Amino acid sequence: MTSEYVTFGLVPAMRAGGVQADGAYQTHRDFLDFVVDGRPLLARLTDLDAVSPLTADTGPAAFADQVRRLLLEAEPPLDGSRFIIYGCPECEGPECGALTAVIERDGPDVVWRDFGWQTGETPDAERDGYHDIGPYRFHGERYRAALRRLLTADGAPAPGIPTGPRALLIGPRAAVLAKLAAALRRIGVGAEITLDAVGAHADELRKYGVVVFGGTVREDERDAVRRAFAAACSEAVCVTALAPLVPLLVAQVVQALDRTSHDRRRLLGLTAVAGGAEAVVEIASACRVRLVAHRLDRLSRPRTHALLDAVLPPGTHRVPLDPRAIRGRSFLVARTNDTVRITPVER
């Protein structure tokens, strides 16, 4: 067993929701990721689409139970002293599989070891083990202090724990905003539509992470809404709808919800070369990248084209663009499991 200590911490993280190229919905999840030796543990797993048990949309009692399990103050949920480190972001059951590990005390310390992918009662260590992950030895007091900060003295979740994301859509309740609100709710983002947020109570405004202005909202009306949110000391990001394309608008909202610091992102940038010949994708660490083009055809009908779905190594990658995918007014959306980036294609 390892005798070298590594540091333990927690950091807000996001599983990016959205509408995929085939029309399927991908649930948006906010959660706390584990930071081991200064690096999020999930970032070490190239193509694992999963979330930790410490999710924002978990009820207070369930959240506190998950913290107590990690503190080893409750029984492990799986045989062999195994705990779920990352599970399916679309459901809460283990049937889809989960990354599990043995968590145990070793004197005053806490050790995470024997990481493996588990779908049944016990994982097959040879076939499904993550042999390049762990074991990790944490200073017991520092480990427990990091987790106990998530709870109050009476064991309830502490104030400031992330809650579910919400978006406020400004504009008439027309087809596009109504469809956008429905799509956001479908992926787990609360969404309300209003003609004007000026005059709303500050506490209510502070609940929103994103404000989306519909295409018919005038600039002076947008400025008034921005002033109202600023007066409420809100950190909401204001965005203007790029085009009446619901998957693109959902991607705009998800990108605006991302509060991950730049140095922790895997997808660093997306640009389209002038003329639309290629896209430039910047990657910080190996991860799965999907690139999709959205456009309106000459009859203003939405069109979606999948351009790339591959695991890319770190670095700058140039992706040739199919001219048929970017005719007319078009946009590119690149996404990893935790980041979304959007860019218009200038022709």
Side-chain angles (χ1 to χ4, degrees):
M1 184 178 295
T2 180
S3 60
E4 297 182 3
Y5 286 102
V6 295
T7 58
F8 177 85
L10 297 160
V11 66
M14 180 182 82
R15 190 266 188 150
V19 183
Q20 301 184 47
D22 60 2
Y25 289 87
Q26 181 169 293
T27 303
H28 183 94
R29 305 292 298 277
D30 289 325
F31 63 100
L32 294 175
D33 196 8
F34 308 110
V35 180
V36 177
D37 246 10
R39 183 183 178 194
L41 183 57
L42 193 56
R44 303 170 193 245
L45 306 165
T46 302
D47 192 24
L48 183 61
D49 184 14
V51 297
S52 83
L54 304 176
T55 56
D57 52 359
T58 300
F63 184 92
D65 286 345
Q66 295 292 352
V67 175
R68 283 191 285 269
R69 283 178 176 174
L70 294 169
L71 285 167
L72 301 178
E73 295 174 357
E75 292 297 315
L78 304 171
D79 293 340
S81 297
R82 301 194 73 85
F83 293 77
I84 294 175
I85 306 300
Y86 296 110
C88 175
E90 298 290 343
C91 68
E92 296 183 2
E95 295 80 9
C96 297
L99 179 68
T100 69
V102 174
I103 302 180
E104 62 186 5
R105 295 184 182 87
D106 186 17
D109 302 329
V110 175
V111 175
W112 288 18
R113 62 176 176 83
D114 299 341
F115 288 79
W117 185 253
Q118 186 167 346
T119 54
E121 293 185 1
T122 57
D124 185 320
E126 288 300 318
R127 184 189 63 193
D128 300 323
Y130 281 74
H131 305 295
D132 56 341
I133 301 294
Y136 300 124
R137 176 179 292 273
F138 306 112
H139 286 278
E141 283 306 310
R142 298 175 191 173
Y143 173 90
R144 286 183 281 272
L147 288 166
R148 283 180 178 147
R149 279 194 287 269
L150 304 178
L151 303 175
T152 60
D154 60 0
I161 298 302
T163 56
R166 291 178 65 185
L168 183 63
L169 316 183
I170 307 291
R173 194 176 294 272
V176 173
L177 287 189
K179 290 179 180 177
L180 173 59
L184 290 172
R185 293 168 190 147
R186 182 79 177 269
I187 69 169
V189 177
E192 290 84 38
I193 305 174
T194 184
L195 286 172
D196 187 4
V198 176
H201 195 279
D203 288 342
E204 181 62 23
L205 296 182
R206 284 193 290 268
K207 294 178 182 178
Y208 295 101
V210 178
V211 179
V212 180
F213 296 113
T216 62
V217 181
R218 300 192 313 268
E219 187 60 38
D220 62 316
E221 295 173 323
R222 297 175 195 171
D223 290 340
V225 171
R226 292 189 185 101
R227 288 194 295 270
F229 273 84
C233 298
S234 167
E235 296 182 356
V237 176
C238 296
V239 299
T240 300
L242 288 173
L245 297 162
V246 172
L248 176 68
L249 296 176
V250 170
Q252 272 192 273
V253 171
V254 173
Q255 177 175 299
L257 286 170
D258 190 356
R259 302 293 194 269
T260 308
S261 61
H262 187 76
D263 62 335
R264 296 189 185 278
R265 292 175 180 168
R266 287 189 275 189
L267 176 57
L268 299 179
L270 170 68
T271 56
V273 174
E278 60 184 8
V280 180
V281 182
E282 297 177 66
I283 304 297
S285 61
C287 58
R288 180 186 179 190
V289 179
R290 285 163 287 178
L291 182 65
V292 176
H294 296 282
R295 68 182 182 90
L296 291 169
D297 67 14
R298 59 184 180 179
L299 299 178
S300 296
R301 295 173 299 191
R303 293 286 184 261
T304 301
H305 302 268
L307 302 173
L308 174 72
D309 187 346
V311 175
L312 300 181
T316 300
H317 303 270
R318 311 185 82 87
V319 182
L321 298 178
D322 184 346
R324 295 171 297 179
I326 54 173
R327 291 174 181 166
R329 190 182 181 196
S330 57
F331 305 84
L332 299 179
V333 176
R335 65 170 60 240
T336 63
N337 292 332
D338 56 1
T339 312
V340 174
R341 287 290 173 269
I342 303 166
T343 188
V345 179
E346 304 294 343
R347 299 300 301 273

